[in-house]
């Protein structure tokens, strides 16, 4: 089964409940999983879910 592609900071933000500026800032700081397609930030929904699960168990610092 394919993972949904979250295309753009708006889509990632909607998925996480963040605004696009927060997504861009956190992505640039390496605090969000993802990759770029050209200038567009993208992420796999499965990767974001795994990142959230890790944050919920203290594996990463999601608050900063």
């Amino acid at each position: 089964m394919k993972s949904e592609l979250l295309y753009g900071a708006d889509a990632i933000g909607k998925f996480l409940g963040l605004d696009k500026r927060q997504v861009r800032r956190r992505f640039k700081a390496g605090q969000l999983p993802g990759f770029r397609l050209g200038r567009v930030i993208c992420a796999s929904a499965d990767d974001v879910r795994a990142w959230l699960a890790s944050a919920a168990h203290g594996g990463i610092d999601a608050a900063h």
Side-chain angles (χ1 to χ4, degrees):
M1 184 170 158
K2 285 186 180 179
S3 176
E4 174 187 4
L5 176 65
L6 303 172
Y7 186 81
D10 285 330
I12 297 168
K14 185 175 180 180
F15 189 81
L16 291 171
L18 301 172
D19 68 43
K20 63 184 176 183
R21 289 185 341 181
Q22 290 173 307
V23 170
R24 288 186 187 121
R25 191 170 41 246
R26 289 173 186 232
F27 178 78
K28 186 176 180 178
Q31 297 172 338
L32 284 176
F35 56 94
R36 288 193 178 271
L37 287 176
R39 296 179 66 190
V40 180
I41 298 170
C42 301
S44 157
D46 286 346
D47 289 346
V48 174
R49 284 184 193 101
W51 173 80
L52 286 171
S54 179
H57 292 96
I60 59 174
D61 184 5
H64 291 87

